[in-house]
Amino acid sequence: MDSRKVIKFLRRTLISFCLFFFIAFPFKHLDFLIPGVTEIRPENVIPPVMGILFGVPGALGAALGNIAGDLIDGTTVYTFCFGFLANFLYAYLAHKMWYTWFEREGTVNYPQIYSFYTCVKFITIIFVDSVFVAFMIMLLSEAIGMAKAHDVALILFYNNFDFAVILGLPILATVSNFWNDYEVPPKREISEKWQAYERIFTLIPAVVVTLGVWYYVYSRLQDQMYPQLAAVIMYIIMILLAIYSFRPRTAEIEKEKKRVDFSLKAKSNILFQVVGILMVVFVVAVTWYLNTKNADITRLEFWQDIFSTAGLSFNFVFGIILASLFIVEKYLANPIEKMTDIVREYGQQDHLDHQGNKTMAEACRSIRSKDEIGELADGIAEMIEDVESYVNNLQAVTQEKQRISTELNLARRIQESFLPRVFPPFPEYTQYFDLYASMDAAKEVGGDFYDFFLIDEDHLGLVIADVSGKGIGASLFMMISKALIKNQAMNAESPAAVLEAVNRQICANNEADMFVTVWLGILELSTGRLIAANAGHEYPALMRRDGSFELFKDKHGFVIGGMDGVRFKNYELTLEPGDRLFVYTDGVAEATDAVNEQFGTERTLTALNQHKQESCRDLISGVRDAIEEFVNGAPQFDDITMLTITFRPAELLRSSEENKE
Amino acid sequence: MIIREIRDNNKLTLAIKGRIDTATAPQLETAVKTKTDGVEQLEIDLKETDYISSAGLRVLLAAQKSMKKQGSMVVTNVNEVIHEIFEVTGFLDILTIQ
């Protein structure tokens, strides 16, 4: 045998024994209720409670406690045995009844008193159990010639029932909140054979009650004792009850859903019980007081009165209490529990399960109270529906966003690859010029561009431009402008004429009122003659060989696409060998750091001059590094575009070597 | 960016405080579109404007064009930085600056 099980068994027996005995002990020395029969026995709560919770060891402990008590009283062996059996049955029957009575859908629940239903169950079981015990003891008292059955029956009943119920209800209600190691009788499957036995089992309580009632009435009518008859009937009843205690459990134990630790039902239960008990105590105290004032009353009558008052007031008060509990449960606790379950389940599942959501919303709406509970339920149902549609929406929106983002990335890649990026672009011309350009796009797709192309074998076209605004619109406009400018420039017209033609073309179709600033230059390679026109674009920076970069304040026309019919003016300058030209967009000068200070043209020139002897590629990366250092991690808002050309670079190289010496 | 409106019969002044850039230009665009019904003289007061980007220039250009149909538009209290921007972009000759 498992030693832990044995220890558990012994421990429980001991607990039951101690509780029984130490509660019983003080009352032994008070007045006897019915001399020789019974005294006030609050310990009567112990057998059914311990029995229900612990099963056999609980019953055993209580029965042993009774023997200990009887030893103190010094009663006969006969009474010992009887007392032992009666208490054992009293306790054990309660245990069995709990697990076999009140089956619902083939299940019973643990002995947790937290609701109207469980209260009613407990009270009923105790009632019947107390009736059994009352009968047994009343018959015994006649069998040993102590007292007449009808004299003692009621008080015996109340002595058990009152204490068991008034003390037992709150005890079980409280215990179930922090302890749940219940002893459960093993389950037996009902075979064909057992069906027949089942019928016998259900008859037994009826038979016992009938016998008892019959004897009570008979005793009352005859008003005398029949010791032998009483003894016989007593034995019959005890045997029947002993048989009954073997009734097997056939029901499943209800798997408790994870309940809240101290649920609403349990709380209201305890509240009502406390109120009820206080009321009963009050009534009893009043009765006690009134009876002590009454000098004529006998001790027996006194206690009969107290006990029956307690019993009756209990019935009355607890009847009201249970009805209130029922109402509270039906209209408050149950709907709230239902909603709690729905909300908990909702939290655990996928918000997009339409069928699931619909079921839950309907379940909520089925709670049709015309009060805050009903409103709460409707609110939850609405929320479930709303969340589903929001999540659906969100999914659709997110998908759309993803799609757009992919498209934007594609657009950016197309745009970037649209700019010429091979350097040196014209390998046969490297003696004429060194050329480099770069465009670093900002976060959002932008509209800066540069361009360079050979118009004929002696003329190089250079373009730098900046479209107003950002986004897809700007990038579309950029593509058009670039194509138009190149196309027009290839006709070998002067820059001003090119810009005027392009402006006309763009203004013809410019619904969106976009514009682009452009600097266009055409360099004659054999002579270094540069003809240029500026449509609202930043001043170029010019460096003469052996000099430094300075802003060249050229004449500005209006932006392209701003207004139809705008005229532009060419200007001319001659580049000597070793001279350099640097054009850029406003992203360079307007690059901002964390405190919103701009890089500015001064810093641009400084950066240029720091690298003025270097190749075009290095010059541009030098400026880029300077900008990066300046902004120091602040986000880039505008495209940074730069183009630079050195005329007859050999000359520059030579001069830089000369300067080193 | 905060736009203060001062309406005086058929003259409307929009005083702009802050920056007019890609983020804030739409606000100005909406203000011009919705508030200029029956307005014959529109004044854009840039006294408290720190900076204007190409997006802002675009809005001014569009405002100028639409006001030309119903009256006139002036831009006032332009600071140095903005003046230079107007100069470089050629807007100086297009807008009426006071």
Side-chain angles (χ1 to χ4, degrees):
Chain A
M1 254 243 296
D2 187 357
S3 65
R4 261 183 305 161
K5 282 207 182 111
V6 174
I7 291 176
K8 194 172 175 183
F9 186 96
L10 290 174
R11 185 176 64 222
R12 290 180 164 186
T13 312
L14 188 62
I15 292 173
S16 182
F17 174 87
C18 291
L19 283 171
F20 187 98
F21 183 74
F22 290 115
I23 294 176
F25 190 74
F27 292 88
K28 293 274 174 200
H29 297 279
L30 295 177
D31 301 327
F32 279 113
L33 256 180
I34 305 155
V37 179
T38 190
E39 69 286 354
I40 303 169
R41 294 174 66 96
E43 67 271 19
N44 278 338
V45 68
I46 300 298
V49 168
M50 287 288 116
I52 284 179
L53 294 178
F54 289 157
V56 172
L60 188 61
L64 290 172
N66 191 66
I67 290 192
D70 283 346
L71 276 172
I72 293 176
D73 293 338
T75 50
T76 64
V77 175
Y78 185 67
T79 318
F80 269 16
C81 298
F82 180 84
F84 178 87
L85 277 170
N87 272 288
F88 187 89
L89 281 174
Y90 183 39
Y92 193 65
L93 284 173
H95 180 70
K96 268 298 166 72
M97 284 195 278
W98 183 273
Y99 288 101
T100 56
W101 287 32
F102 288 69
E103 245 181 69
R104 274 198 298 195
E105 291 162 16
T107 63
V108 289
N109 56 337
Y110 285 120
Q112 292 165 321
I113 310 287
Y114 63 90
S115 67
F116 170 79
Y117 173 77
T118 47
C119 276
V120 166
K121 182 172 177 179
F122 180 73
I123 292 173
T124 313
I125 288 175
I126 297 299
F127 184 89
V128 173
D129 208 10
S130 305
V131 165
F132 290 162
V133 171
F135 284 156
M136 285 193 280
I137 303 180
M138 96 181 169
L139 289 165
L140 174 72
S141 74
E142 275 213 4
I144 61 176
M146 269 291 175
K148 297 193 200 126
H150 70 269
D151 275 340
V152 300
L154 276 172
I155 211 165
L156 286 171
F157 171 77
Y158 284 130
N159 208 7
N160 282 292
F161 181 72
D162 290 359
F163 288 117
V165 147
I166 292 177
L167 295 175
L169 268 178
I171 290 176
L172 279 177
T174 317
V175 160
S176 61
N177 283 315
F178 56 81
W179 180 87
N180 62 357
D181 190 10
Y182 307 107
E183 181 65 36
V184 178
K187 183 171 187 289
R188 293 276 153 72
E189 294 303 328
I190 327 168
S191 56
E192 284 298 319
K193 250 199 316 178
W194 276 105
Q195 295 277 26
Y197 294 137
E198 257 300 296
R199 267 186 224 122
I200 299 175
F201 280 125
T202 39
L203 275 176
I204 288 179
V207 170
V208 168
V209 169
T210 313
L211 280 174
V213 167
W214 170 79
Y215 195 87
Y216 173 84
V217 169
Y218 189 64
S219 160
R220 200 179 206 129
L221 290 173
Q222 301 297 343
D223 197 25
Q224 70 168 49
M225 295 199 267
Y226 298 98
Q228 286 97 347
L229 179 61
V232 165
I233 300 201
M234 185 187 81
Y235 287 130
I236 293 176
I237 286 183
M238 287 185 79
I239 290 169
L240 286 176
L241 288 176
I243 295 173
Y244 190 65
S245 71
F246 283 98
R247 185 179 185 195
R249 168 171 77 93
T250 55
E252 288 290 337
I253 305 287
E254 183 191 335
K255 281 283 163 266
E256 280 286 294
K257 304 171 270 193
K258 170 87 178 79
R259 277 198 298 126
V260 191
D261 278 335
F262 196 7
S263 69
L264 273 180
K265 274 187 184 165
K267 279 185 184 139
S268 41
N269 195 294
I270 290 197
L271 173 68
F272 280 122
Q273 282 182 17
V274 167
V275 167
I277 289 165
L278 287 175
M279 287 173 73
V280 169
V281 165
F282 177 72
V283 168
V284 170
V286 167
T287 315
W288 189 302
Y289 175 69
L290 290 173
N291 278 354
T292 49
K293 287 213 132 175
N294 183 354
D296 294 333
I297 200 163
T298 68
R299 176 153 296 139
L300 183 63
E301 279 168 352
F302 180 87
W303 285 109
Q304 264 181 334
D305 209 21
I306 296 284
F307 269 70
S308 45
T309 310
L312 289 170
S313 61
F314 171 84
N315 288 340
F316 180 70
V317 167
F318 267 72
I320 298 176
I321 295 270
L322 286 176
S324 315
L325 189 62
F326 178 75
I327 291 174
V328 164
E329 273 186 22
K330 179 162 180 205
Y331 293 106
L332 266 180
N334 280 341
I336 290 182
E337 218 171 86
K338 193 168 171 187
M339 282 190 279
T340 310
D341 287 339
I342 290 175
V343 167
R344 191 181 293 126
E345 195 189 322
Y346 181 70
Q348 286 168 354
Q349 51 121 269
D350 179 11
H351 295 308
L352 282 177
D353 175 13
H354 179 69
Q355 201 48 47
N357 286 341
K358 192 158 160 229
T359 314
M360 284 190 282
E362 271 167 16
C364 267
R365 291 228 159 83
S366 69
I367 298 170
R368 271 181 243 283
S369 330
K370 290 199 181 18
D371 57 13
E372 288 88 337
I373 298 267
E375 274 190 52
L376 182 62
D378 282 341
I380 293 180
E382 252 179 72
M383 239 181 11
I384 292 178
E385 288 160 356
D386 282 350
V387 169
E388 184 182 334
S389 87
Y390 288 151
V391 172
N392 269 327
N393 238 11
L394 188 62
Q395 262 204 349
V397 165
T398 309
Q399 272 173 6
E400 186 61 20
K401 254 185 133 179
Q402 284 281 73
R403 201 182 61 78
I404 291 178
S405 175
T406 314
E407 301 273 325
L408 274 180
N409 279 337
L410 184 60
R412 184 208 284 285
R413 285 206 335 258
I414 294 177
Q415 201 184 349
E416 279 173 5
S417 57
F418 204 53
L419 300 182
R421 290 190 295 186
V422 176
F423 300 102
F426 313 108
E428 317 84 64
Y429 286 79
T430 44
Q431 51 169 304
Y432 287 100
F433 57 82
D434 176 19
L435 179 72
Y436 194 75
S438 76
M439 196 278 285
D440 293 320
K443 218 168 36 130
E444 225 183 311
V445 183
D448 278 11
F449 67 93
Y450 61 81
D451 202 3
F452 46 81
F453 41 86
L454 282 170
I455 297 171
D456 58 36
E457 54 189 34
D458 193 28
H459 288 92
L460 174 70
L462 299 165
V463 186
I464 187 146
D466 183 356
V467 175
S468 63
K470 292 213 176 356
I472 294 277
S475 65
L476 285 175
F477 200 76
M478 165 248 175
M479 309 275 267
I480 301 281
S481 316
K482 180 172 176 295
L484 286 175
I485 291 171
K486 178 167 180 179
N487 191 42
Q488 203 64 40
M490 292 302 274
N491 290 339
E493 295 166 3
S494 76
V498 168
L499 292 181
E500 279 166 18
V502 171
N503 188 47
R504 276 197 301 276
Q505 287 169 328
I506 285 181
C507 287
N509 289 318
N510 197 7
E511 294 280 324
D513 283 333
M514 300 205 80
F515 61 77
V516 54
T517 64
V518 180
W519 179 91
L520 168 63
I522 298 181
L523 177 64
E524 195 170 53
L525 297 172
S526 52
T527 60
R529 213 169 125 232
L530 175 71
I531 309 185
N534 186 322
H537 198 81
E538 272 65 28
Y539 297 125
L542 180 66
M543 176 185 126
R544 299 292 184 180
R545 193 198 82 162
D546 297 331
S548 298
F549 275 100
E550 282 163 14
L551 279 186
F552 181 76
K553 301 224 163 154
D554 57 356
K555 188 106 188 30
H556 276 192
F558 193 47
V559 299
I560 304 276
M563 243 166 48
D564 204 356
V566 167
R567 307 303 303 270
F568 296 97
K569 267 211 140 123
N570 289 316
Y571 62 87
E572 204 178 296
L573 45 92
T574 306
L575 292 181
E576 301 294 333
D579 286 353
R580 315 185 74 162
L581 184 70
F582 175 82
V583 287
Y584 54 96
T585 60
D586 60 5
V588 170
E590 287 171 13
T592 41
D593 64 3
V595 295
N596 270 341
E597 199 179 320
Q598 292 188 347
F599 192 62
T601 42
E602 284 305 317
R603 284 198 187 88
T604 311
L605 290 171
T606 311
L608 284 168
N609 286 323
Q610 269 170 359
H611 300 272
K612 64 182 181 180
Q613 305 289 4
E614 294 169 32
S615 70
C616 285
R617 185 188 291 258
D618 291 337
L619 180 70
I620 283 189
S621 37
V623 175
R624 194 190 294 118
D625 289 345
I627 295 174
E628 250 176 61
E629 203 186 303
F630 173 78
V631 302
N632 197 17
Q636 182 188 337
F637 283 117
D638 205 352
D639 298 343
I640 294 174
T641 311
M642 304 180 265
L643 172 89
T644 187
I645 184 170
T646 312
F647 184 60
R648 299 215 181 251
E651 206 42 50
L652 176 67
L653 210 55
R654 185 148 27 91
S655 100
S656 78
E657 257 146 43
E658 277 168 19
N659 289 336
K660 279 189 193 137
E661 285 147 16
Chain B
M1 181 186 83
I2 305 170
I3 306 177
R4 220 165 20 103
E5 298 165 32
I6 303 144
R7 184 77 186 247
D8 173 22
N9 260 352
N10 57 1
K11 177 167 186 301
L12 171 67
T13 305
L14 295 174
I16 316 227
K17 179 172 171 169
R19 294 164 57 97
I20 312 178
D21 55 22
T22 317
T24 56
Q27 198 183 333
L28 180 57
E29 190 174 3
T30 312
V32 168
K33 273 210 180 87
T34 57
K35 308 282 182 182
T36 50
D37 276 347
V39 171
E40 284 174 22
Q41 287 176 296
L42 174 64
E43 178 186 333
I44 310 272
D45 183 352
L46 299 181
K47 181 132 157 264
E48 292 181 273
T49 311
D50 317 306
Y51 169 76
I52 182 163
S53 78
S54 57
L57 290 175
R58 202 175 129 241
V59 173
L60 286 184
L61 184 61
Q64 169 98 332
K65 282 186 184 165
S66 82
M67 281 312 294
K68 249 209 178 111
K69 295 182 204 145
Q70 61 191 73
S72 64
M73 177 174 118
V74 297
V75 179
T76 56
N77 299 321
V78 173
N79 68 20
E80 235 181 81
V81 170
I82 297 186
H83 192 271
E84 204 187 317
I85 293 174
F86 284 160
E87 201 179 352
V88 167
T89 54
F91 269 73
L92 210 57
D93 299 326
I94 305 297
L95 299 174
T96 316
I97 317 264
Q98 283 170 8

